[in-house]
Amino acid sequence: MEKNTYLEKAKNIIKDTSAVFAYVSGNEEIISSAKGIGFVASLCNDKKDLSKGAVADKIVGKAAAMLFVLLGLKYVHAETISTGAVKVFEEYGVEYSYDVITEAIVNRKGDGLCPMEMAAKDTETPEETLSAVNKKLEELRKS
């Protein structure tokens, strides 16, 4: 199977189930319904290599895009993508597609920026972004 088949299968999983993240490769599927970036950060913390497949995700901002780069992804589809994520994918040569593009990813209350986007705002590398995301996730767990 080639990348288009993986990407189509991942997109269908997102569309047809409650999953918000779906990775598909020749011999592996990773599916998560967990909201937010924590699941993707945990894949990075576990040093997963997802370079052989494709991902579909509900919402991809700069923070998620940087983590996808760290995971080695080459093909990503986002139902909603931010312009910051597009810049990351273009800089790192990740092929991407999307349904909706937005200037910024908002928080769950809809009254401000997503905390992960705020954490990643000034990061310049995928590694810096993972560190900032992990720190923010830890702060959010404590509050």
Side-chain angles (χ1 to χ4, degrees):
M1 255 197 293
E2 59 177 82
K3 71 106 178 165
N4 286 340
T5 311
Y6 299 154
L7 200 54
E8 285 309 310
K9 188 168 183 185
K11 284 165 66 173
N12 286 334
I13 291 168
I14 294 290
K15 195 174 66 171
D16 299 338
T17 70
S18 62
V20 296
F21 171 94
Y23 167 78
V24 176
S25 73
N27 59 354
E28 185 176 25
E29 286 184 13
I30 303 171
I31 300 166
S32 175
S33 300
K35 300 245 186 290
I37 201 169
F39 179 75
V40 175
S42 71
L43 293 174
C44 291
N45 292 330
D46 293 341
K47 302 200 178 330
K48 289 290 280 181
D49 174 7
L50 303 186
S51 61
K52 303 219 180 332
V55 156
D57 200 312
K58 290 274 187 196
I59 301 171
V60 179
K62 177 188 176 185
M66 284 288 213
L67 298 188
F68 287 162
V69 168
L70 207 53
L71 291 167
L73 283 159
K74 306 280 187 270
Y75 312 105
V76 176
H77 176 78
E79 287 191 351
T80 300
I81 197 168
S82 74
T83 53
V86 166
K87 285 182 190 147
V88 169
F89 288 155
E90 288 179 352
E91 178 181 346
Y92 287 93
V94 176
E95 284 186 40
Y96 63 93
S97 59
Y98 58 86
D99 299 328
V100 176
I101 189 164
T102 182
E103 194 60 39
I105 305 299
V106 295
N107 63 23
R108 290 184 189 154
K109 289 182 188 164
D111 62 1
L113 261 187
C114 163
M116 294 306 146
E117 294 304 282
M118 289 174 18
K121 187 168 59 87
D122 297 323
T123 63
E124 293 181 17
T125 67
E127 294 78 9
E128 274 181 60
T129 304
L130 177 59
S131 178
V133 165
N134 283 333
K135 186 176 172 194
K136 181 52 96 176
L137 285 169
E138 190 58 35
E139 285 173 22
L140 291 172
R141 278 188 204 105
K142 288 178 180 172
S143 63

